[in-house]
Amino acid sequence: MTSLPWLNHLIIVPVLLPLVVGALMIPINQARHGLKFALGLASGVLLWAVAVALLVLADSGHWPGGIGVYLAANWAAPFGIALVADRLSALMLVLTATIALAVLVFSARRWDRVGVGFHPLFQFLLMGLNGAFLTNDLFNLFVFFEVMLAASYGLVLHGYNLRRIQAGMQYIAVNLVASLLFLIGVSLIYAASGTLNIADLGARVALLGAQDAWLLQIGAAVLALAFLTKGAMWPLGFWLPTTYASASAPVGAMLVLMTKVGVYAVLRVWLAVFGEGAGAAEGFGFTALALGGMATLLFGAIGMLASQDGGRMAGYGAIVSSGTLLAVVGHSGGAVLASGLYYLLGSTLAMAAFMLLIELTERIRPPGAALLAITMEAFAIEDKPEDPVGVGIPGTLAFLGLSFAACALVIAGMPPLAGFVAKFSLFHALLAAAPEGVPATTWMLIGLMILGGLAAIIALMRLGVRTFWAAGAVTPPRLQFSEAAPVGALVLLCVLLTVQAGTVFDYLGRTTAGLLRSGDYAARVLGEPPVLRAPGAEEGAR
């Protein structure tokens, strides 16, 4: 069926390209910012093009079942390393490349030169992210996680100050513990099943004896602790708000994406291993994910209401997003998952834009203004207002205000943008999934999602009033085009996601249908044959 076999090599490009470009940047003198930026930008554009190509290949029937398999070293799975590009992984690659390009352009005039090693670390971060989305092996998932985390350690401390160092040390310590749990969980799973290939593990789980199945479930629970620490599930996500508030704006935008990697890993592993055909282990852990997701959602909503700082507010907003997604994974229904993936796209784009926007809006806030004073000033009403005088709104303030409003609408799930479409479709899917009676947990989840949206709109409205209205007479901030363009592009993508919701939902419906057919996934990966040498090739090589 594969008429152009060389296209399979595109699957390895999102891992190799940032690795090579990052290595090439290391010996370049730190003063040559322009050259490093040009290399990074070229890498980002190529990564985006390759990700889009993989998405088209996965959805066009080029590969059987929409699943492309790349056998590294030409060893068949489960004995060799297999990289898998399906609709979900290709979608995450496109999302990663899009946000990475926006962050890279935003950093071009300031953040890439306030410390050393920004561009190489950024490329290695992309390598780890892309590898985590493509790998089909738990140990290599650990390797790519560590590459991603090692790069993020340097980026979190980039442009260091005391606050950033303190938050960075906490971030490093928490993730080192999570990595240890990851290794322990992987070891237990291998001891129980004899494999770490996710597709092979899904095929074997139903055949395990009672003792091995029990050991496998313990290993999976320990592995889940590692994933959920990175995915910020309550109470494991205590580190996240402080890290978001302390990191530089571009790094904070990438942290939004990194938080989703933990959720992606749970979704990928749990549906493949404990989905249909898992025998007695089918459905293991899904209830815990649903309940934990709801607790996380509630924790994030309370945190948003209690936050005054924009960075901490964004951190708790990311926790709300993760909680919603984990609860959706716990329900694991097809329509529910499709709506959850749509919510993932919109919330990630909006939160990344919001992280970049926070730095720009802070430039218009008067230093030292007391919160109580400016809040009282905002709501003071004149008894005899003067005749209105036409005063033009500076373009920068208009741009920042509209961008802030758009991000707030998506994050809170208010109409008319993608956040509202996502939540409305989630409500519909959750209710339609139980025609014989809606369980109490489903009503709880719907209520918590509404509560989370109310908390978000109250917190963001308060921040918006304090920033744009109560600041009084301010000098319009100076924005570089390279700072405004990425924010505007991400906001426009949220609008486009709303306008093209039907097309996106069609794609996500096909994506979730493939995810729920774990048996077909396993058969496709394990059935991929090695590439045979052409006759006489070996003699010619000699």
Side-chain angles (χ1 to χ4, degrees):
M1 183 175 290
T2 304
S3 57
L4 297 173
W6 62 269
L7 288 176
N8 271 21
H9 294 290
L10 289 178
I11 298 175
I12 193 69
V13 171
V15 177
L16 287 184
L17 180 60
L19 171 63
V20 173
V21 173
L24 289 175
M25 288 179 177
I26 292 176
I28 298 178
N29 190 285
Q30 182 63 26
R32 305 187 68 179
H33 300 290
L35 177 58
K36 288 190 173 186
F37 172 75
L39 288 172
L41 185 62
S43 172
V45 172
L46 285 174
L47 282 175
W48 188 86
V50 169
V52 171
L54 290 174
L55 186 145
V56 172
L57 290 172
D59 197 44
S60 64
H62 178 81
W63 291 311
I67 302 172
V69 181
Y70 184 87
L71 302 177
N74 205 30
W75 282 79
F79 306 105
I81 298 172
L83 300 180
V84 178
D86 62 357
R87 292 182 178 90
L88 177 61
S89 58
L91 181 68
M92 297 305 295
L93 290 176
V94 172
L95 182 62
T96 300
T98 301
I99 293 177
L101 272 175
V103 167
L104 191 63
V105 173
F106 185 91
S107 308
R109 300 299 294 270
R110 179 187 175 193
W111 284 109
D112 66 344
R113 61 194 67 186
V114 299
V116 297
F118 177 86
H119 286 290
L121 288 173
F122 193 80
Q123 293 298 313
F124 295 142
L125 177 67
L126 291 180
M127 173 195 170
L129 284 167
N130 293 338
F133 294 136
L134 288 170
T135 187
N136 185 61
D137 182 272
L138 287 177
F139 183 77
N140 287 286
L141 180 61
F142 170 78
V143 172
F144 286 121
F145 261 65
E146 291 309 298
V147 172
M148 174 186 71
L149 289 172
S152 71
Y153 296 156
L155 290 173
V156 167
L157 297 172
H158 185 76
Y160 61 88
N161 54 38
L162 180 59
R163 182 187 181 194
R164 196 163 292 156
I165 291 174
Q166 291 173 339
M169 291 300 103
Q170 174 184 266
Y171 172 76
I172 293 171
V174 168
N175 280 282
L176 287 176
V177 173
S179 297
L180 176 61
L181 292 173
F182 200 138
L183 275 180
I184 294 173
V186 165
S187 301
L188 292 173
I189 290 173
Y190 186 76
S193 64
T195 185
L196 292 177
N197 183 284
I198 297 173
D200 190 35
L201 185 60
R204 294 190 189 192
V205 64
L207 306 176
L208 297 177
Q211 186 173 0
D212 287 336
W214 177 75
L215 184 61
L216 174 69
Q217 291 176 6
I218 293 176
V222 175
L223 189 65
L225 289 176
F227 289 157
L228 296 174
T229 299
K230 303 175 194 301
M233 180 174 170
W234 181 85
L236 303 173
F238 65 90
W239 56 271
L240 190 144
T242 301
T243 306
Y244 271 56
S246 304
S248 61
V251 175
M254 294 304 294
L255 285 174
V256 172
L257 189 58
M258 290 175 61
T259 304
K260 301 302 184 289
V261 178
V263 178
Y264 169 88
V266 171
L267 176 63
R268 173 67 74 187
V269 174
W270 253 250
L271 289 183
V273 177
F274 300 112
E276 66 173 25
E282 184 174 344
F284 170 75
F286 285 104
T287 301
L289 286 174
L291 295 176
M294 288 190 286
T296 304
L297 204 165
L298 178 61
F299 172 71
I302 295 172
M304 287 197 78
L305 286 174
S307 299
Q308 303 294 336
D309 177 73
R312 291 189 67 85
M313 199 176 293
Y316 283 110
I319 290 176
V320 169
S321 175
S322 289
T324 304
L325 291 170
L326 290 171
V328 166
V329 174
H331 280 79
S332 69
V336 178
L337 277 178
S339 300
L341 291 176
Y342 184 87
Y343 175 81
L344 183 150
L345 292 175
S347 63
T348 304
L349 289 171
M351 195 62 70
F354 185 68
M355 287 300 301
L356 300 179
L357 195 61
I358 287 173
E359 178 185 331
L360 305 183
T361 56
E362 285 178 346
R363 300 178 189 178
I364 65 176
R365 292 175 61 183
L371 174 61
L372 179 60
I374 61 177
T375 304
M376 294 299 293
E377 179 185 344
F379 292 97
I381 301 176
E382 296 180 358
D383 292 332
K384 296 180 179 180
E386 298 178 357
D387 293 335
V389 178
V391 179
I393 300 176
T396 52
L397 290 178
F399 168 77
L400 293 177
L402 289 173
S403 299
F404 184 94
C407 291
L409 290 175
V410 177
I411 294 170
M414 299 293 290
L417 297 181
F420 174 75
V421 176
K423 286 195 174 182
F424 186 84
S425 63
L426 274 172
F427 295 161
H428 179 269
L430 287 167
L431 295 175
E436 299 179 357
V438 181
T441 53
T442 299
W443 287 118
M444 287 176 58
L445 176 57
I446 292 175
L448 287 172
M449 290 174 63
I450 295 174
L451 177 64
L454 289 174
I457 201 64
I458 291 171
L460 292 170
M461 183 185 299
R462 183 179 61 205
L463 180 63
V465 166
R466 191 166 71 243
T467 303
F468 296 102
W469 185 11
V474 295
T475 303
R478 295 177 60 86
L479 302 183
Q480 299 287 345
F481 177 78
S482 61
E483 295 174 323
V487 175
L490 292 176
V491 171
L492 285 177
L493 284 175
C494 292
V495 175
L496 183 63
L497 195 64
T498 309
V499 175
Q500 296 296 325
T503 303
V504 176
F505 268 106
D506 289 341
Y507 178 87
L508 295 178
R510 297 189 293 272
T511 301
T512 54
L515 287 173
L516 295 174
R517 294 195 299 267
S518 57
D520 294 347
Y521 177 83
R524 176 72 184 94
V525 175
L526 299 176
E528 178 72 8
V531 178
L532 300 177
R533 287 179 177 270
E538 186 173 348
E539 290 77 2
R542 291 176 180 174

